[in-house]
Amino acid sequence: MSGLLYLILPALGGYTVTSLYLLKNPHILHKKKRAAFHCRHISHRGGCGERIESTMEAFTHAVEQGTGMLELDCHLTHDGHVVVSHDENLLRQTGHDVTISSLSLQDLPLYKERLEVTFYAGRYSSGADRKFTLLEDLFRKFPEMPVNIEIKENNDLLIEKVSDLVRRFGREDITVWATVNSSIMRKCRRMNSSMPYSFSMSRGVLLLLLFYSGLLPFVPLGESFLQFYLPRIINRTFIPEKRILRKRPLIFLLEKLTMRKSLFKHLAARGIQVHLFVCNEDQDIEAAFGVGATGVMSDYPTLLSNYLCSHRSQD
C-alpha cells in the first residue's frame, strides 16, 4: 500500500501543479478566440428599467446611452413573424392571457403602461412606445450593434427564421445564440454554426466540474460567452419564482462555487467573454467587475454608462 502511495502522490502533485500553471497560462494549449466585438455594457431586454422592455424605444434609448450589446428573446407569431418578447404568454407584459404563437402580428396587444422590472422587485418602467418589436426591424435600425438572442422555445421554425434573418442582414459575427437548454443550443448550432454562442445550463455545470477537477485547462471549449446570474442579487432585487432559490444558504453556496476569479480570468485569457447579470445597482456592477466579469448586463443602461464613465480611470 505504501509503495502505491509513493507512485500516486507524486503523480497527483505533478498533475495539480501542471493544471494550475496551465489555468494561468491557457495560451500554451489553446489559441485565443478572436471575437468581432467585446462589450462591457449589455442592456438586458433593451434596458427594461428605463423604458418598457423590448420595445424599439427601449433599444434606441440603450444605444443612445452607449450600450455595447442588446440582449433579447424571440418568439414566433401565428403568421410567422419573429417578435422580440421575453415571454411567450403575454399575461405579465400586457394583461392578456394569450400566447404569441396563437396571434397574428396585427393582433398582438400593447404592453401595459407600467411594467414591473423583473430583476428589481417593486420598480416599474414606462414609455411612449408600447408596441412589440420585430427582430428584422431591430436589425434594420441597428445593423452594427451586437445582439444576444436567447431562444427559449424548442421550435425549429423559430430557430430557422432567426438564422435566416441573421444571414439576410449579414451579421453572423455580431449575433449570439443563447439558451439554457442544451438540446435547443444544438439545433441553433446546426442551423447556423457561424454565429458565436454561449454556454447552456448543462455546459455551464460541466465547466464548473472541469474547473474543480483541474481538467479545464486541457479541454477545448467552443463557446464564446459565459452568461450567469450575479448570485447576490437573488432575493434582494430579484425574487425567483422557484422557492428553492429563496434559501439563503443555497445562494451563499452558489456564489462561493460560481464566482471564482481564477475561472473567469482563465476564460477571458482564452477569449471567452464573461457576462454577469442583472446588475441594477452600483454595488452590484462593482461586485461583478471585481470578480472578473468582462461585461455586465443591466436593466438600467444610463446607470451602467455612468458607472463605467466614473470608473474609466481605474480600468
Side-chain angles (χ1 to χ4, degrees), residues 2 12 39 88 110 153 192 213 219 231 235 247 269 312:
S2 60
L12 184 60
C39 55
E88 216 281 307
L110 297 176
E153 295 179 73
N192 194 328
S213 67
V219 178
N235 298 324
K247 299 182 182 297
R312 188 171 297 160

Side-chain angles (χ1 to χ4, degrees), residues 101-258:
S101 59
S102 69
L103 299 174
S104 297
L105 178 63
Q106 64 181 15
D107 295 327
L108 291 176
L110 297 176
Y111 278 99
K112 295 176 181 177
E113 292 184 3
R114 294 176 71 245
L115 198 60
E116 186 172 24
V117 181
T118 303
F119 284 87
Y120 211 150
R123 300 292 183 97
Y124 292 81
S125 62
S126 60
D129 185 5
R130 295 166 55 202
K131 295 180 180 179
F132 285 87
T133 301
L134 287 173
L135 183 61
E136 65 178 293
D137 288 343
L138 182 72
F139 284 173
R140 188 174 290 109
K141 185 166 186 178
F142 304 111
E144 298 179 1
M145 174 59 61
V147 174
N148 185 93
I149 300 177
E150 182 170 357
I151 304 294
K152 289 184 164 65
E153 295 179 73
N154 196 347
N155 184 325
D156 292 358
L157 184 57
L158 170 63
I159 295 170
E160 179 182 358
K161 283 182 174 286
V162 169
S163 174
D164 289 345
L165 285 171
V166 170
R167 285 196 174 100
R168 191 207 309 173
F169 285 90
R171 47 177 300 122
E172 289 171 291
D173 57 341
I174 59 170
T175 309
V176 179
W177 286 124
T179 181
V180 299
N181 188 302
S182 292
S183 62
I184 294 177
M185 181 58 79
R186 285 193 290 270
K187 289 184 178 182
C188 291
R189 293 285 298 134
R190 284 197 297 268
M191 190 64 67
N192 194 328
S193 61
S194 298
M195 292 168 57
Y197 61 104
S198 64
F199 283 87
S200 64
M201 180 67 74
S202 62
R203 286 282 296 173
V205 171
L206 176 61
L207 178 70
L208 286 176
L209 291 175
L210 292 172
F211 172 69
Y212 282 107
S213 67
L215 290 170
L216 180 59
F218 305 98
V219 178
L221 299 171
E223 291 85 353
S224 296
F225 298 89
L226 174 65
Q227 298 171 337
F228 193 73
Y229 286 108
L230 183 69
R232 59 183 285 162
I233 70 166
I234 299 174
N235 298 324
R236 182 169 56 80
T237 62
F238 169 53
I239 312 299
E241 293 182 3
K242 296 181 179 179
R243 287 196 168 273
I244 191 171
L245 288 178
R246 299 185 186 182
K247 299 182 182 297
R248 288 187 178 182
L250 178 62
I251 300 306
F252 177 81
L253 178 62
L254 184 66
E255 183 166 17
K256 291 300 180 183
L257 286 174
T258 60

Side-chain angles (χ1 to χ4, degrees), residues 72-76 82-85 135 149-150 153 158 162:
L72 54 86
D73 311 80
C74 286
H75 297 278
L76 202 61
V82 181
V83 172
V84 178
S85 172
L135 183 61
I149 300 177
E150 182 170 357
E153 295 179 73
L158 170 63
V162 169

Side-chain angles (χ1 to χ4, degrees), residues 32-84:
K32 187 174 182 178
K33 295 177 184 292
R34 299 296 178 185
F37 66 94
H38 289 84
C39 55
R40 288 167 61 77
H41 185 308
I42 306 107
S43 293
H44 182 243
R45 303 185 198 174
C48 60
E50 297 177 7
R51 298 292 188 275
I52 294 176
E53 66 182 52
S54 302
T55 59
M56 191 63 79
E57 182 182 24
F59 294 126
T60 302
H61 174 71
V63 172
E64 290 172 348
Q65 297 308 309
T67 196
M69 173 188 269
L70 299 171
E71 188 275 343
L72 54 86
D73 311 80
C74 286
H75 297 278
L76 202 61
T77 64
H78 185 68
D79 52 348
H81 293 278
V82 181
V83 172
V84 178

